[in-house]
Amino acid sequence: MNFEMLETRTLMSGTGFSDLQPDHGPAETAYVESNNPQPGQNAVIALRRDPSDGSLHQIGKFLTGGTGFGNATQGLGPDDSDQEVIASPDGRFLFAVNQGSNSIAVFRIHGNGGLHRVGTFDSGGVQPASIGLSGDHLYVVNRGDALQGKTATIAPNYTAFDRTPKTVRCHPFPVRR
């Protein structure tokens, strides 16, 4: 199988969950993001870990409906993030940031580890960098337009999403100092 070319970077966000594969025992699916800066080409890459030897095999590439953010100079900024991809604790949904198009993609996770995009929603700010889940809430850290060596013109903020099985509603709240 051919692997999707990923942006050259030292760290990649990923998340995974274990499930049971018929006749193969427990397996793990890991998800990483391509962070592709070509318009509409950002994707979540699903990798299956073989429990017998630990090797990873790409099982799919799933477009997020948005754009990643390139880091040609490898400077501070676009790669300074944590949890660009996160699965819900129940293993039903996966969320991914689109730094270059200021949005969050939501996927339904199938039993085989494959994904189906449910929607793409505005992140409530500029350049979403990290996401986290707590209870029924998805939290997004939007970096603003701050990059190393450049003056920022848009402030960072946090956005909270209420998360329910059928809908995701966005409720932004400001950064408090």
Side-chain angles (χ1 to χ4, degrees):
M1 177 173 274
N2 292 332
F3 280 86
E4 165 75 7
M5 277 307 280
L6 301 178
E7 174 187 356
T8 303
R9 61 193 329 184
T10 304
L11 300 173
M12 292 182 3
S13 295
T15 189
F17 66 95
S18 294
D19 58 0
L20 213 53
Q21 295 299 305
D23 302 321
H24 298 306
E28 185 176 284
T29 304
Y31 300 96
V32 296
E33 190 171 57
S34 68
N35 205 22
N36 189 327
Q38 298 298 318
Q41 295 303 302
N42 197 24
V44 172
I45 311 300
L47 303 164
R48 172 72 61 177
R49 182 182 166 274
D50 185 324
S52 65
D53 64 9
S55 62
L56 292 173
H57 305 279
Q58 183 174 329
I59 61 170
K61 170 188 171 185
F62 305 92
L63 293 177
T64 64
T67 304
F69 196 95
N71 187 5
T73 66
Q74 296 298 304
L76 295 176
D79 296 333
D80 302 335
S81 58
D82 182 34
Q83 289 189 275
E84 294 172 323
V85 178
I86 191 168
S88 61
D90 62 8
R92 294 178 55 210
F93 295 99
L94 183 121
F95 303 87
V97 303
N98 289 311
Q99 290 187 38
S101 55
N102 307 324
S103 61
I104 305 298
V106 182
F107 294 90
R108 180 172 297 282
I109 301 172
H110 296 290
N112 65 0
L115 302 174
H116 171 76
R117 192 174 75 229
V118 176
T120 302
F121 306 95
D122 187 272
S123 71
V126 172
Q127 201 179 358
S130 300
I131 50 181
L133 289 168
S134 179
D136 290 334
H137 303 289
L138 173 75
Y139 295 95
V140 179
V141 176
N142 291 290
R143 179 189 336 277
D145 65 351
L147 293 173
Q148 185 179 17
K150 297 185 180 187
T151 303
T153 59
I154 300 172
N157 74 310
Y158 299 97
T159 306
F161 290 80
D162 283 332
R163 183 175 73 80
T164 64
K166 294 183 181 179
T167 64
V168 177
R169 295 183 313 269
C170 177
H171 298 283
F173 58 90
V175 176
R176 304 271 188 225
R177 294 183 194 247

